[in-house]
Amino acid sequence: MGAEHLSLVKFNRGFFVCLWVMLSLSCAAATYGSSRQKFEVKKHLNRLNKPPVKTIQSPDGDIIDCIPISKQPAFDHPFLKDHKIQMRPSYHPEGLFDDKKVSAEPKGKETHIPQLWHRYGKCTEGTIPMRRTREDDVLRASSVKRYGKKKHRSVPIPKSAEPDLINQNGHQHAIAYVEGDKYYGAKATLNVWEPKIQNTNEFSLSQIWLLGGSFGQDLNSIEAGWQVSPDLYGDNNTRLFTYWTSDAYQATGCYNLLCSGFIQINSDIAMGASISPVSGYRNSQYDISILIWKDPKEGHWWMQFGNGYVLGYWPSFLFSYLTESASMIEWGGEVVNSQSEGHHTWTQMGSGHFPEEGFSKASYFRNIQVVDGSNNLKAPKGLGTFTEKSNCYDVQTGSNDDWGHYFYYGGPGKNKNCP
């Protein structure tokens, strides 16, 4: 065998040894990365899923854990370690809080709560229902840190001087809004639909926003409504949700109870759980009422669902601008259009039909009200509307004796006028 051939054999052997070492190292790194991620996910799940006193299996596949009120994720917050839970607000927008009229758990007349899990059980007084977070839920997020959070700057900016802020991340809106005053709460009744979503990284929601600060890095927001979000929940069910942030969706806040912040006191309603039944096109309409207001005595922001269920509160210390009041209120719909395949997606907002189709076809917000400085509910003054692309999703306001101030909104997304 010639010297040249021997050196070639040595070279090949050395090359394959090097290749094997490199592959082994990269495999080891991948394994380490994978096990590290699994460890992080498990740690996060242990933080979120508190030991339950009872577990209920929902027909939609959710697991609802009944958690003692004092053990909920809110109390992982360092500022809430010694917090005394307020089991009722001091004031309601109609005046002093009245147990007979509104309470955490209305007695007497049976109130229908449209959540699927109630078919199989109920949480006892002193506990709160929590939708259990699973490994798959966290793995669908871009990172463990971002799980349960919205993307930055996903709030509609009706009169922005910075057009580059509009439509960031493909977020589109059709809203009514008021600004230019101090607002201490907002209320509306909105019908519930199950809009179709084209891609799993998109969502469709309908909600109330209470906003304070600028639309830059310091925006404070409290939000509540219904949403369809395959990424967050792993299905296309319509679900009740809340959200808050004090730094424009950067580091603070989250959906529902997926971080410390919101303190729930109600044992009947589960944040993030499915709402059923939903409205049908030219069929029965089902709606929900949401009220968010600032308690003049304690300063916390409270949320009420329906006519009788006070869900809980956001402690005032979570916020900077919203510690006093909101400077803008928005009601309406939001979708993510991922612009996949180079054109607008057919993700629907609301019913998926334009507002001009009207009742039983289009989605609506009715009896829109704001809470003033005297803690009274009143009609909004100077109600404006805003949408980035009215050919895709639109909004139309009106008022009458039955519905007060109202609007229809929504649309189909991709259509011949919305390519």
Side-chain angles (χ1 to χ4, degrees):
M1 191 180 287
E4 195 178 310
H5 184 69
L6 275 172
S7 67
L8 190 61
V9 169
K10 283 179 183 172
F11 169 79
N12 285 340
R13 192 179 293 155
F15 172 76
F16 283 116
V17 167
C18 282
L19 187 62
W20 180 80
V21 169
M22 284 168 68
L23 285 171
S24 299
L25 286 171
S26 70
C27 283
T31 305
Y32 173 77
S34 166
S35 59
R36 176 80 188 159
Q37 186 192 31
K38 277 187 177 173
F39 173 73
E40 288 297 326
V41 169
K42 194 172 179 187
K43 204 165 82 171
H44 199 59
L45 290 173
N46 287 339
R47 262 200 305 268
L48 289 176
N49 297 324
K50 307 299 183 185
V53 296
K54 180 182 177 181
T55 293
I56 298 161
Q57 184 78 48
S58 177
D60 61 355
D62 278 359
I63 296 171
I64 303 295
D65 289 325
C66 303
I67 309 294
I69 285 182
S70 60
K71 303 293 183 190
Q72 63 184 293
F75 299 108
D76 292 341
H77 199 293
F79 290 179
L80 287 170
K81 290 293 180 201
D82 303 313
H83 180 80
K84 188 175 185 300
I85 303 172
Q86 233 185 304
M87 290 307 294
R88 46 177 267 163
S90 306
Y91 288 85
H92 193 267
E94 290 134 14
L96 266 170
F97 186 78
D98 182 358
D99 271 322
K100 296 184 195 76
K101 192 166 189 181
V102 186
S103 69
E105 295 174 52
K107 305 288 188 284
K109 189 185 173 191
E110 192 64 33
T111 308
H112 172 62
I113 313 157
Q115 287 199 309
L116 277 174
W117 65 277
H118 291 124
R119 294 179 194 174
Y120 288 89
K122 198 179 174 193
C123 288
T124 54
E125 211 168 323
T127 68
I128 64 155
M130 274 190 70
R131 178 183 183 269
R132 188 182 297 179
T133 302
R134 305 177 204 227
E135 188 177 347
D136 286 353
D137 294 330
V138 184
L139 290 173
R140 279 191 305 273
S142 57
S143 69
V144 173
K145 200 176 171 186
R146 293 302 302 169
Y147 172 64
K149 295 182 183 295
K150 280 190 178 186
K151 288 190 169 70
H152 300 181
R153 288 177 177 163
S154 64
V155 72
I157 310 165
K159 291 185 178 175
S160 172
E162 303 172 75
D164 62 306
L165 292 186
I166 291 181
N167 215 17
Q168 276 209 351
N169 301 313
H171 288 252
Q172 287 177 239
H173 309 83
I175 63 159
Y177 69 96
V178 289
E179 62 179 340
D181 204 347
K182 289 184 176 181
Y183 307 101
Y184 297 86
K187 186 178 184 181
T189 298
L190 53 158
N191 62 344
V192 182
W193 295 84
E194 192 175 275
K196 300 286 182 286
I197 312 293
Q198 181 172 326
N199 300 313
T200 55
N201 63 338
E202 299 178 328
F203 66 65
S204 182
L205 59 76
S206 297
Q207 67 171 48
I208 300 173
W209 289 261
L210 288 90
L211 303 168
S214 73
F215 288 99
Q217 305 298 306
D218 61 359
L219 183 75
N220 286 199
S221 184
I222 290 175
E223 306 166 24
W226 59 261
Q227 69 180 159
V228 176
S229 177
D231 233 12
L232 186 58
Y233 303 105
D235 59 29
N236 292 296
N237 292 352
T238 303
R239 296 167 177 276
L240 175 72
F241 82 95
T242 62
Y243 200 93
W244 70 274
T245 180
S246 61
D247 62 357
Y249 308 98
Q250 292 176 96
T252 62
C254 60
Y255 281 109
N256 307 322
L257 303 177
L258 296 176
C259 64
S260 53
F262 185 83
I263 297 172
Q264 184 162 337
I265 60 164
N266 186 283
S267 63
D268 286 310
I269 308 293
M271 305 285 203
S274 299
I275 300 172
S276 181
V278 296
S279 303
Y281 186 74
R282 289 183 174 167
N283 213 323
S284 301
Q285 299 299 294
Y286 296 93
D287 54 29
I288 58 174
S289 292
I290 288 172
L291 165 65
I292 299 168
W293 82 99
K294 190 174 180 60
D295 186 335
K297 187 179 177 189
E298 299 291 337
H300 305 319
W301 289 92
W302 285 82
M303 177 178 168
Q304 179 181 311
F305 178 76
N307 291 322
Y309 291 86
V310 175
L311 293 193
Y313 58 96
W314 290 270
S316 58
F317 79 81
L318 294 173
F319 305 101
S320 48
Y321 292 95
L322 285 176
T323 45
E324 193 200 335
S325 62
S327 56
M328 182 183 276
I329 309 288
E330 298 176 344
W331 302 262
E334 176 184 357
V335 299
V336 171
N337 162 38
S338 62
Q339 204 73 22
S340 61
E341 300 164 20
H343 55 70
H344 202 291
T345 58
W346 45 255
T347 289
Q348 299 174 333
M349 181 190 290
S351 68
H353 292 263
F354 284 114
E356 53 265 29
E357 291 197 42
F359 185 74
S360 88
K361 297 165 193 165
S363 40
Y364 61 74
F365 276 68
R366 62 181 174 89
N367 301 110
I368 298 167
Q369 293 174 294
V370 295
V371 180
D372 67 10
S374 304
N375 200 35
N376 293 316
L377 280 162
K378 63 176 189 180
K381 279 184 187 165
L383 194 66
T385 61
F386 169 77
T387 181
E388 289 94 345
K389 291 184 178 178
S390 59
N391 292 339
C392 309
Y393 312 105
D394 206 3
V395 54
Q396 289 181 3
T397 58
S399 65
N400 61 34
D401 291 344
D402 287 341
W403 280 21
H405 285 266
Y406 69 87
F407 63 90
Y408 286 102
Y409 70 101
K414 186 178 185 306
N415 63 78
K416 66 178 195 291
N417 299 315
C418 172

